[in-house]
Amino acid sequence: MVFNLQFFQVLSIIISMLAFCTAFWLYRWVEVQPSSNQRIAEISKLIRNGANTFLTKEYRTLSRFCLVAAAVILIFLPAPIWKGNIAANIIMAVSYLFGTVFSAIAGKIGISIATIANVKAAEASTKGIKQSFMSGFRGGAVMGMAVVSSSLLGVTLVLLLTNNTTALLGFSFGASSMALFAKAGGGIFTKTADISADLVGKVELGIPEDDPRNPAVIADNVGDNVGDVAGMGADLFDSNVASMAAALVMAVSLDGACKAAGQTANNAAMVFCYAAVGLLASMVGVMTARMKEGGDPTLALNTNTYVTTGLYGVLTAAATWAFGFSWRIWGASVIGLLVGVIIGLASDYFTDDKRPPVRAVAKACESGPAFTILSGISYGLMSTLPSMVGIGVSALAAYKLCYPMGGGSVEYAMFGISMAAVGMLSIVGMIISNDAYGPIVDNARGLVEMGDLGDKALEITDSLDSAGNTVKAVTKGFAIGAAGLTVIALLGAFMSEVNAAIDELNAVSAGAIMDKIAGFDVINPNVFFGLLIGAAIPALFSAMLMLGVDRNAQRMVSEIHRQFKEIPGLKEGKKGAVPEYDKCIEIATDGAIKELVPAGLMTIIATLLVGVVGGVQSIGGFITGNIVSGLLFALFMSNSGGLWDNTKKYIEAGNHGGKNSPAHKAGVVGDTVGDPFKDTAGPSINTQITVVSLVASLTATIFLTFNLFG
């Protein structure tokens, strides 16, 4: 039997369908877990309705943007429609819309299961930690399986139906643009509510985190779902699609070159095989995940990741041997996966409350919030080095390992980097499961407190929530590292698209009018111009998102003050005094919708302007500067934010004076600063870098033929 590309595409579809079946089984398992507390059911309904209302408004706004973007793509990409190839433009526009729809579905699935699993985990906490953990984890696993299976299925179908890698980039751009706005909007919503609830509740009034008297408490729980579940699902869907798209663009180009030379090649088949095996490994890892009663939830979550990692390594080695794939490419993918784990461990060191950095910042809290901020920023900056080194080493090792292929081919070496990104994201099903577990158990903790299920249940959900925060920092580090390798691969895909366009332009002229691009020289003023602008974009993007949180949170704090002042007996907790929760949800929703578009639109417009001014050389510099600066900002923000969050929780556990002590109030201030760092700007930068790279690749032909100084 010949194992050609179509065989592996069919295999990918089959494994995607199996993963969907696994997701459905897990959904039903969570759904049938017992829940009978009327108070929790009422609160959960408020959370679910708030999350669905926000998602509906957000998707309505984004659908208008996406339709306009699709119309622009139809007219101009991959080449202006008046040049005659109308079918290619239609395929590109449809692929883009296909990507946006798949990304939106990923977010909707996450919201649907998370707002069920939080209730099940909350009520299970009255019986023990094991059942509560399994409800939270399997709830997250529904999203993990659904997101990764839909990304693999989407990529496979687009390439199978169109046989066009440029259409694949259009699909990826659709996923990325939707993810960019969904992550930004969800991040602004969740941190608006979180900051407002903490500042008024904890700092001003000294009431518990999820006290039902606080008007912002339901909005805070809604935010966990729309930001950390729907937003992160769209983000990792985008990363997975982008890594596969970048690898396939180069793989198809390499396969075509080999075929022209009369040689056989299976690079594209290898991409599908490794991605399918990664999903299979994640399915096995999710279904075999367990935790003993009285066990450590952090250890259980990390063990699941390590088991899945080992399984992926073994299965891909077996596939490489069985199908005659390149062992060098296998080595590159394993390097990517191992470095992903190392980056996760580095994030864990700087954010786990059992490690020195968190405890040092907790000690600094005794001296006031200024020292909390100063020490947290310092450790956050320090945390970037191991991850940046890891990304750099993995890219260098993959490049050097694969360079001898094809007689010292730069394209093969860049393909090796793209496969390191595929390897790093190979177990993304497990990563998403761990990541979505965090907000589910965070919500469960709130439901336990608001439902008054007792101190034992609160202690269990506190333990689960702490594990969720620690593992979430690990998964964010993993996602940022994967984004780093993915966009390096996308830089290679950009070069492939530019060179293909140069071949086409040269073919229609009497002689070669342009030389192919082999790299970008920073001494070239066009490249340096793009480099500087690209490096500045993540800073501006982050500032715009955090200012959005700032403006929105100030409005919500004023609303909370109004309610405590005007609703009789609310502050004292008298019977019958009920906050107007919907007012805070409305403020968070309207503010997030208003603030989410400008930052994302700015990055796209900046990319186009740089290309028009300096051509493809400037765009190469722009992407490079954006990658380096963006990774640095993303790592710093995610790690420092996670560190401040766990510092606050460490103090709340009874250390350095415990709750309501001066150290605790300083810790809350640090967490307030860290919230938009780790949940709004930081994780959104990943997607911003991807969007920039995809826009550049899609518009490469335009920048070649139309620029001012290129």
Side-chain angles (χ1 to χ4, degrees), residues 108-290:
K108 182 63 178 176
I109 289 172
I111 289 289
S112 177
I113 185 59
T115 51
I116 296 173
N118 57 9
V119 177
K120 308 300 182 179
E123 296 212 29
S125 65
T126 60
K127 299 173 183 175
I129 193 170
K130 177 183 175 182
Q131 196 66 11
S132 187
F133 170 85
M134 291 303 294
S135 295
F137 176 76
R138 286 191 163 175
V142 172
M143 186 174 174
M145 294 296 97
V147 167
V148 183
S149 55
S150 60
S151 63
L152 179 58
L153 181 64
V155 167
T156 306
L157 289 176
V158 168
L159 195 60
L160 193 62
L161 295 174
T162 67
N163 196 29
N164 185 331
T165 54
T166 305
L168 198 57
L169 290 175
F171 176 75
S172 184
F173 179 48
S176 297
S177 59
M178 192 70 175
L180 178 64
F181 294 117
K183 189 62 192 165
I188 291 169
F189 184 110
T190 184
K191 293 306 110 181
T192 293
D194 198 355
I195 288 171
S196 304
D198 277 0
L199 285 179
V200 180
K202 289 184 176 180
V203 176
E204 291 184 22
L205 302 179
I207 62 177
E209 180 171 351
D210 293 299
D211 195 301
R213 289 175 288 174
N214 194 328
V217 72
I218 299 297
D220 187 11
N221 283 281
V222 170
D224 288 335
N225 292 285
V226 300
D228 292 343
V229 177
M232 185 55 80
D235 180 17
L236 286 170
F237 174 85
D238 149 58
S239 294
N240 201 34
V241 169
S243 69
M244 290 185 66
L248 284 166
V249 166
M250 285 183 274
V252 170
S253 174
L254 289 168
D255 287 349
C258 288
K259 188 176 180 181
Q263 302 168 350
T264 57
N266 51 15
N267 295 300
M270 199 183 330
V271 177
F272 282 110
C273 180
Y274 282 17
V277 166
L279 180 53
L280 187 63
S282 292
M283 286 167 56
V284 174
V286 162
M287 295 303 293
T288 57
R290 296 288 184 275

